[in-house]
């Protein structure tokens, strides 16, 4: 897949390959990026992130205080990688209405954090396509109730029995920034070697 | 003859004169010492700033001071430095790269501030007080000196390996490995907790800046406090559509503000001290003229003009003033030498993340405060003695000679 980042100062794209098992294990590898980035890998093991730094030739664990920071200069945070789908655990959902979006019916679902959840958002409003139950748009509101970032899903394609959004775009409130991810290929139900998500393997930079 | 009489008069009541002279002397001591401490400390502070991290002035890419972006650089420092040196011969310059990142080892890491410095220049070297190991060497790449607090947090000591990750100017993820060659006291605990120093060239390549630098530190050959003239001369040589040049007073406005406020407070203390002293003088002179009412009557009947009486009483006051001033200044000198040195580093606390190093300073009596105290003493004595003097000069001979 390709991640494109646009900011007022620069814009660039990097090519990534991702392996994932369930929600807890993932490995992201930079196939083509800046000269010092190619070969960089980010390993997600449950709630922790480890990075292989090709130039340094070393692995570094991301400190917990940096979870809210940008991942590789994009508008995705490290937290986005780690939390992924913890919406169910952290939020209380309520359907507030039905709207038309792109000619299709969609539910507007408002997610409010449960008291126990460690969440930076005041609420998240999600538009979910009624026909296929997939999210189309997610609006994140910060504690003042202002829209802090918008995540949009598009280019839905049928892969086997699944329908999958091939394009994901994040637009933060900050002017002139945008990050989008476009999948070029995706395979489901693949056998992944067991050591793919091991730290030993990451340390070797392979 | 008039001065001789005045001199003799003030010693007629020796105890009273000594007391009022002592009061005056103490007032002068207080003011001269406070002023001197302040003058010395502000000069030293300015010296600490201008010879240290900040410099007399800095050249940045336009808008860098307000929002320091990695991408906002002075792209061709060589040209800029040549122009500065041309505009004002004698200025010295240093290039700096300022960045941020995450430093550590596999398991521990901490956010850091990275400062790329020209290690071969003495001004840059003076930023680092090496605690352990050695300082940067311009000829040896990929070495870093880190703050003592950071070294403790990351468990690093000279010889250790430090991984650094950050975002380069083109947005890519910069990462590299360095050898820690020393730990340093960077001037404040915050600085010690966050600072990573490396060679300018290493920092430029890490952040992908090419020849670009974030700051050009400008140091002037003189220690002038007023920077507006040199800065305007220098700014005339620069392309101000792309660059900015700022004196340290604009880079650390809080510190400048603190100094100005302190100066104002000092004025208020002056006024209060001398108000008290002048009331004392008023009292002394009133007493001494009342006591001598008959004497003034006799003088007047012998044909002394009121103006001469007035002059004589004022002369008595001024003589006491001169004695008090000399005694006070001498006492201040003794006091300041007894205190010896003083540490004003607390004055700069919280004004700058990177810390400004203020060395403990040697105190001395400077001419400025003494001249100032002399002027104020003169005014005080005249004000305190004027009313009694006028009264004495206006006495009617007949009434005064009969006064008991």
């Amino acid at each position: 897949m390709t991640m494109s980042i646009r900011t007022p100062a620069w814009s660039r794209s990097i090519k990534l390959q991702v392996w994932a098992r369930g929600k807890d294990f993932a490995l992201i590898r930079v196939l083509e990026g800046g000269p010092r980035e190619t070969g960089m890998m980010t390993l997600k093991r449950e709630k922790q992130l480890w990075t292989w730094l090709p130039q340094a030739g070393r692995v570094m664990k991301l400190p917990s205080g940096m979870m809210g920071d940008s991942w590789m200069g994009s508008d995705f945070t490290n937290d986005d990688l780690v939390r992924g789908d913890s919406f169910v655990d952290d939020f209380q959902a309520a359907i507030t209405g039905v709207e038309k979006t792109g000619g299709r019916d969609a539910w507007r679902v408002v997610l409010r954090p449960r008291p126990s959840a460690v969440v930076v958002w005041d609420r998240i409003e999600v538009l979910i396509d009624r026909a296929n139950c997939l999210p189309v748009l997610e609006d994140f509101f910060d504690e003042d109730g202002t829209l802090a970032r918008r995540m949009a899903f598009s280019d839905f394609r049928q892969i086997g029995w699944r329908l999958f959004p091939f394009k994901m775009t994040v637009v933060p409130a900050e002017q002139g920034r945008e990050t989008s991810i476009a999948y070029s290929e995706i395979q489901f139900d693949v056998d992944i070697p067991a050591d793919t998500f091991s730290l030993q393997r990451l340390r070797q930079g392979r | 003859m008039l001065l001789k009489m005045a001199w003799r008069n003030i010693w007629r009541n020796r105890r009273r004169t000594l007391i009022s002279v002592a009061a005056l002397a103490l007032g002068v001591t207080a003011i001269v010492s406070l002023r001197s401490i302040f003058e010395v400390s502000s000069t030293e502070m300015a010296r600490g700033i201008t010879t240290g991290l900040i410099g007399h002035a800095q050249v940045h890419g336009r808008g860098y001071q307000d929002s320091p972006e990695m991408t906002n650089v002075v792209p061709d420092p060589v040209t800029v430095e040549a122009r500065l040196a041309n505009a004002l011969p004698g200025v010295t310059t240093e290039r700096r790269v300022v960045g941020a990142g995450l430093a550590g080892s596999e398991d521990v890491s901490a956010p850091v501030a990275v400062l790329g410095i020209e290690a071969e220049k003495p001004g840059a070297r003076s930023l680092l007080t090496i605690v352990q190991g050695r300082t940067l060497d311009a000829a040896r790449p990929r070495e870093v000196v880190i703050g003592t607090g950071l070294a403790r947090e990351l468990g690093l000591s000279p010889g250790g390996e430090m991984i650094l990750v950050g975002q380069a100017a083109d947005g890519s993820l910069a990462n590299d490995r360095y050898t820690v060659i020393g730990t340093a006291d960077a001037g404040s605990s915050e600085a010690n907790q966050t600072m990573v120093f490396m060679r300018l060239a290493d920092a430029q390549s890490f952040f992908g800046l090419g020849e670009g630098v974030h700051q050009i530190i400008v140091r002037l050959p003189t220690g002038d406090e007023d920077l507006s003239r040199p800065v305007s001369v220098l700014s005339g040589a620069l392309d101000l559509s792309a660059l900015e040049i700022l004196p340290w007073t604009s880079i650390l406005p809080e510190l400048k503000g603190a100094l100005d406020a302190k100066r104002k407070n000092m004025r208020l203390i002056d006024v209060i001290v001398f108000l008290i002293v002048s009331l004392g003088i008023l009292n002394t002179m009133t007493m001494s003229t009342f006591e001598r009412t008959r004497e003034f009557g006799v003088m007047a009947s012998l044909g002394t003009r009121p103006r001469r009486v007035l002059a004589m009483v004022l002369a008595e006051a001024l003589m006491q003033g001169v004695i008090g001033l000399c005694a006070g200044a001498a006492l201040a000198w003794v006091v300041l030498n007894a205190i010896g040195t003083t540490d004003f580093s607390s004055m700069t606390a919280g004004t700058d993340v990177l810390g400004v190093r203020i060395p403990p300073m040697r105190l001395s009596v400077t001419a400025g405060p003494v001249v100032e105290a002399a002027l104020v003493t003169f005014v005080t004595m005249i004000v305190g003695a004027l009313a009694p003097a006028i009264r004495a000069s206006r006495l009617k001979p007949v009434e005064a000679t009969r006064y008991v």
Side-chain angles (χ1 to χ4, degrees):
Chain A
M1 65 186 198
T2 307
M3 179 166 78
S4 311
I5 310 165
R6 187 164 58 79
T7 75
W10 44 264
S11 53
R12 65 201 201 96
S13 336
I14 47 180
K15 253 193 179 155
L16 307 168
Q17 189 173 3
V18 183
W19 295 265
R21 182 195 290 156
K23 291 171 184 171
D24 287 340
F25 296 92
L27 180 72
I28 306 173
R29 187 189 184 118
V30 179
L31 296 179
E32 279 172 40
R36 289 177 293 188
E37 291 171 322
T38 306
M40 196 186 117
M41 291 185 282
T42 303
L43 175 66
K44 169 192 168 175
R45 288 173 65 84
E46 287 159 344
K47 294 271 173 192
Q48 292 181 333
L49 281 184
W50 306 77
T51 304
W52 164 257
L53 303 161
Q55 176 94 8
R58 290 289 184 272
V59 167
M60 199 175 195
K61 185 184 166 194
L62 205 82
S64 51
M66 304 288 281
M67 280 302 182
D69 285 22
S70 145
W71 180 69
M72 290 205 66
S74 72
D75 296 307
F76 290 97
T77 63
N78 297 308
D79 210 30
D80 287 334
L81 299 183
V82 176
R83 306 181 70 89
D85 310 301
S86 65
F87 280 179
V88 185
D89 298 337
D90 290 342
F91 292 88
Q92 191 113 41
I95 298 176
T96 56
V98 176
E99 297 174 19
K100 280 273 184 199
T101 171
R104 298 164 67 96
D105 277 348
W107 285 302
R108 178 166 288 270
V109 178
V110 177
L111 301 170
R112 287 187 184 279
R114 293 179 197 274
S116 58
V118 187
V119 172
V120 296
W121 311 110
D122 170 63
R123 66 176 194 279
I124 305 174
E125 294 192 10
V126 188
L127 277 183
I128 296 178
D129 193 310
R130 279 182 79 172
N132 54 30
C133 293
L134 288 174
V136 183
L137 195 70
E138 292 176 3
D139 284 342
F140 295 77
F141 293 86
D142 64 19
E143 271 131 9
D144 315 324
T146 54
L147 182 64
R149 82 181 177 152
R150 163 170 283 191
M151 205 185 262
F153 302 88
S154 57
D155 193 11
F156 289 88
R157 292 190 208 168
Q158 196 77 39
I159 303 289
W161 57 270
R162 294 177 175 86
L163 192 63
F164 191 81
F166 268 56
K167 193 165 182 199
M168 217 156 79
T169 308
V170 178
V171 182
E174 194 187 326
Q175 275 298 307
R177 287 191 66 107
E178 184 186 297
T179 299
S180 64
I181 287 181
Y183 288 85
S184 36
E185 200 196 332
I186 188 165
Q187 292 177 349
F188 291 101
D189 309 320
V190 189
D191 277 334
I192 298 174
D195 68 345
T196 303
F197 306 111
S198 83
L199 208 51
Q200 281 77 8
R201 179 145 176 200
L202 188 73
R203 282 201 193 97
Q204 293 159 18
R206 293 187 287 123
Chain B
M1 146 89 159
L2 186 134
L3 289 179
K4 211 170 176 181
M5 275 177 70
W7 181 250
R8 238 193 269 158
N9 281 338
I10 62 175
W11 296 113
R12 278 162 67 186
N13 190 333
R14 192 169 294 196
R15 183 190 304 169
R16 183 171 61 207
T17 301
L18 283 179
I19 288 173
S20 65
V21 165
L24 182 66
L26 286 177
V28 169
T29 308
I31 284 167
V32 170
S33 352
L34 283 177
R35 280 267 161 179
S36 297
I37 289 175
F38 177 72
E39 290 298 329
V40 169
S41 67
S42 52
T43 330
E44 282 301 317
M45 191 170 327
R47 201 205 316 271
I49 289 164
T50 53
T51 60
L53 191 70
I54 309 292
H56 284 101
Q58 291 184 1
V59 178
H60 308 147
R62 182 138 207 90
Y64 183 81
Q65 181 65 25
D66 294 329
S67 112
E69 301 278 351
M70 172 59 66
T71 48
N72 188 354
V73 293
V74 179
D76 51 349
V78 180
T79 321
V80 172
E81 285 178 340
R83 284 188 175 183
L84 293 174
N86 245 335
L88 202 64
V91 296
T92 54
T93 50
E94 274 162 52
R95 302 171 206 172
R96 299 251 178 91
V97 164
V98 183
L102 190 65
S105 53
E106 177 169 329
D107 294 314
V108 216
S109 54
V112 295
V114 178
L115 199 65
I117 55 177
E118 287 184 277
E120 66 276 21
K121 296 201 175 167
R125 271 169 185 275
S126 71
L127 296 176
L128 304 169
T129 309
I130 297 293
V131 175
Q132 250 189 313
R134 59 180 174 86
T135 193
L136 294 172
D137 184 335
R140 303 172 74 150
R142 291 155 66 95
E143 291 181 338
V144 291
V145 169
I146 61 179
T148 47
L150 185 65
R152 211 170 308 124
E153 188 178 346
L154 298 178
L156 286 169
S157 55
E161 171 191 288
M162 188 192 85
I163 308 168
L164 184 62
V165 185
Q167 191 168 28
D170 63 357
S172 71
L173 196 101
N175 61 93
D176 215 330
R177 199 166 20 141
Y178 298 89
T179 309
V180 177
I181 53 158
T183 61
D185 176 5
S188 72
S189 64
E190 296 114 300
N192 288 339
Q193 199 65 43
T194 53
M195 290 306 296
V196 171
F197 298 91
M198 62 169 76
R199 294 189 322 149
L200 184 77
D202 285 346
Q204 283 170 329
S205 86
F206 183 79
F207 291 112
L209 298 169
E211 281 301 300
V213 297
H214 294 117
Q215 304 173 336
I216 294 178
I217 310 298
V218 179
R219 301 193 204 278
L220 302 174
T222 59
D224 288 346
E225 199 170 323
D226 181 24
L227 294 174
S228 50
R229 200 195 60 82
V231 167
S232 77
V233 168
L234 292 174
S235 67
L238 298 174
D239 172 15
L240 292 179
S241 64
L243 302 174
E244 64 187 18
I245 178 164
L246 299 167
W248 71 264
T249 47
S250 310
I251 293 168
L252 296 176
E254 311 90 335
L255 197 57
K256 172 81 174 136
L259 284 181
D260 288 349
K262 198 133 189 176
R263 191 163 278 152
K264 227 175 249 170
N265 289 346
M266 209 68 94
R267 290 258 146 76
L268 189 66
I269 295 174
D270 283 10
V271 169
I272 292 171
V273 169
F274 275 102
L275 204 62
I276 295 169
V277 173
S278 75
L279 285 175
I281 299 296
L282 178 67
N283 180 37
T284 311
M285 295 310 290
T286 309
M287 286 301 294
S288 89
T289 50
F290 262 108
E291 272 172 9
R292 291 181 285 157
T293 304
R294 286 184 67 177
E295 199 180 309
F296 289 128
V298 173
M299 281 173 75
S301 9
L302 290 177
T304 314
R305 301 216 162 262
R307 187 171 302 171
R308 284 183 68 88
V309 175
L310 181 85
M312 188 185 74
V313 177
L314 288 181
E316 288 171 20
L318 285 180
M319 279 171 176
Q320 295 182 48
V322 171
I323 300 170
L325 182 68
C326 294
L331 195 57
W333 185 84
V334 171
V335 166
L336 292 179
N337 276 292
I339 301 175
T341 58
T342 178
D343 190 357
F344 276 84
S345 39
S346 64
M347 268 175 83
T348 57
T351 49
D352 182 34
V353 202
L354 294 177
V356 173
R357 192 195 308 274
I358 307 294
M361 50 203 90
R362 179 108 214 119
L363 291 173
S364 63
V365 175
T366 49
V370 176
V371 170
E372 201 161 326
L375 281 174
V376 182
T377 310
F378 182 76
V379 173
T380 308
M381 298 314 286
I382 298 285
V383 168
L386 198 57
I390 288 173
R391 194 193 146 272
S393 68
R394 284 197 183 153
L395 286 170
K396 299 235 164 28
V398 181
E399 287 167 22
T401 42
R402 288 165 66 191
Y403 184 88
V404 186

